[in-house]
Amino acid sequence: MYKLEKSIEIEQHGNVQCAHGKVAVQGIGMSVYSFYVDGLLIDTGSNSLAEEFQSFFRELSVEQVALTHAHEDHSGNAAWIQQQQNIPIYVHRESIANCAEDGNYPFYRQALWGQRPAFIAQPFGDTLETKSATWDIIATPGHTTDHLSFYNRATGAMFTGDLYIQTKTKVVLDEENIVHTLASLKKLLHFDFEQVYCCHAGFLADGRAKISEKIAYLEELEGEVRKLYSQGHTDDAITKAIFRREYPITKVSGEQWSSKHIITAFTKQFKQES
């Protein structure tokens, strides 16, 4: 039987309250954030941290919920919020049907993030209105096809869900397309922002610089992959040449998370170009 270690910390950055949930099982730990600003709750955390996040939500006056995407660590407490309050929950249009059913995902993710109960969601428009601001709803596919980022026009804050996470990405989920992630990161730079709120890295005061650093890293990585691909190397050989170690999450997830997914996304693009 595995033991789950859980905690939550509440942080304040400007007018944004940040709930920083931490969960670990058998030495594998992750952080996930939920953000509250101007009556808007952005992402709801995981159901494995239900007690912790719900204690945070009870202290808020939530008027609407915006989900960056439907993954269980972001939507895990949406059903509870819906049961407690009759407020709209918004998600990308393509994930409405998925949210209406209990989450279905591998055991290792259930162990870390818990079960995600079904809830009823509504589709976003192009913008969202809160008491003091208009928000741009930005399609930023890559991590998932339904991934969205939110830009507060009044404050210039950018909420990026799982688009950033860290600068030097080493492994990605099998459904992620790193080519699309790179394009989405570049898309954000058309907006006037400095601060970023990331659902796993938290508040980044130098968020624009961090995103630019990630773009540079991925462009350099793309160049390395292209060179090896042009020399006739296979995806496996390119993966071993660039990522010289295998990360524990790869084995634990049955290769659902893997460095190879990064390589195959780039080489697929190269094949389409030729």
Side-chain angles (χ1 to χ4, degrees):
M1 189 67 179
Y2 59 86
K3 180 182 178 183
L4 208 61
E5 300 175 9
K6 304 184 291 182
S7 66
I8 195 166
E9 298 175 0
I10 309 303
E11 308 164 5
Q12 183 87 29
H13 297 282
N15 64 339
V16 181
Q17 293 184 57
C18 313
H20 179 193
K22 300 177 184 178
V23 59
V25 57
Q26 296 183 333
I28 298 176
M30 287 288 289
S31 291
V32 63
Y33 282 79
S34 176
F35 302 110
Y36 175 77
V37 54
D38 201 28
L40 179 67
L41 185 69
I42 298 175
D43 288 344
T44 70
S46 65
N47 195 256
S48 60
L49 288 161
E51 183 178 341
E52 287 77 12
F53 275 110
Q54 288 167 19
S55 66
F56 170 64
F57 300 151
R58 287 190 180 96
E59 301 300 316
L60 308 176
S61 180
V62 180
E63 297 176 359
Q64 48 192 332
V65 178
L67 300 178
T68 58
H69 59 299
H71 273 170
E72 64 277 4
D73 50 329
H74 299 259
S75 61
N77 293 295
W80 180 85
I81 292 173
Q82 193 157 71
Q83 291 165 5
Q84 299 297 311
Q85 304 180 54
N86 183 26
I87 58 174
I89 299 175
Y90 296 100
V91 73
H92 192 290
R93 183 178 298 277
E94 76 173 43
S95 293
I96 290 174
N98 178 38
C99 292
E101 299 180 355
D102 291 342
N104 182 17
Y105 40 90
F107 176 75
Y108 79 94
R109 283 165 58 177
Q110 294 179 31
L112 195 62
W113 300 126
Q115 297 283 355
R116 196 271 291 152
F119 61 96
I120 304 302
Q122 301 180 32
F124 282 104
D126 294 332
T127 60
L128 185 70
E129 299 293 331
T130 56
K131 290 177 291 187
S132 304
T134 297
W135 298 67
D136 287 300
I137 311 302
I138 311 164
T140 49
H143 177 67
T144 58
T145 57
D146 72 330
H147 195 280
L148 300 167
S149 297
F150 310 132
Y151 176 67
N152 187 320
R153 294 180 184 178
T155 65
M158 184 70 77
F159 294 75
T160 59
D162 282 0
L163 185 61
Y164 169 74
I165 300 182
Q166 60 184 357
T167 299
K168 296 187 176 181
T169 300
K170 304 294 186 182
V171 295
V172 297
L173 199 57
D174 53 6
E175 67 181 295
E176 179 162 353
N177 186 318
I178 202 70
V179 175
H180 295 165
T181 295
L182 177 54
S184 291
L185 288 163
K186 291 179 179 179
K187 184 179 184 179
L188 289 191
L189 294 184
H190 292 291
F191 293 82
D192 183 17
F193 71 94
E194 294 297 333
Q195 299 178 345
V196 162
Y197 292 84
C198 169
C199 280
H200 290 291
F203 172 68
L204 304 171
D206 57 346
R208 188 179 192 87
K210 292 291 187 186
I211 286 176
S212 295
E213 289 171 11
K214 180 159 188 166
I215 290 170
Y217 165 76
L218 291 178
E219 288 180 332
E220 181 179 353
L221 183 60
E222 181 182 14
E224 293 175 11
V225 176
R226 187 183 292 275
K227 179 180 178 181
L228 293 170
Y229 174 80
S230 67
Q231 294 171 353
H233 294 284
T234 65
D235 290 353
D236 284 331
I238 296 171
T239 303
K240 289 178 182 178
I242 292 178
F243 300 104
R244 299 183 182 276
R245 56 167 292 201
E246 185 172 297
Y247 296 89
I249 188 63
T250 301
K251 184 176 181 180
V252 169
S253 69
E255 299 189 359
Q256 189 178 45
W257 288 87
S258 174
S259 302
K260 186 178 178 180
H261 302 322
I262 298 174
I263 305 304
T264 56
F266 280 131
T267 59
K268 182 179 179 180
Q269 176 187 237
F270 302 156
K271 291 171 186 175
Q272 291 172 345
E273 292 172 354
S274 61

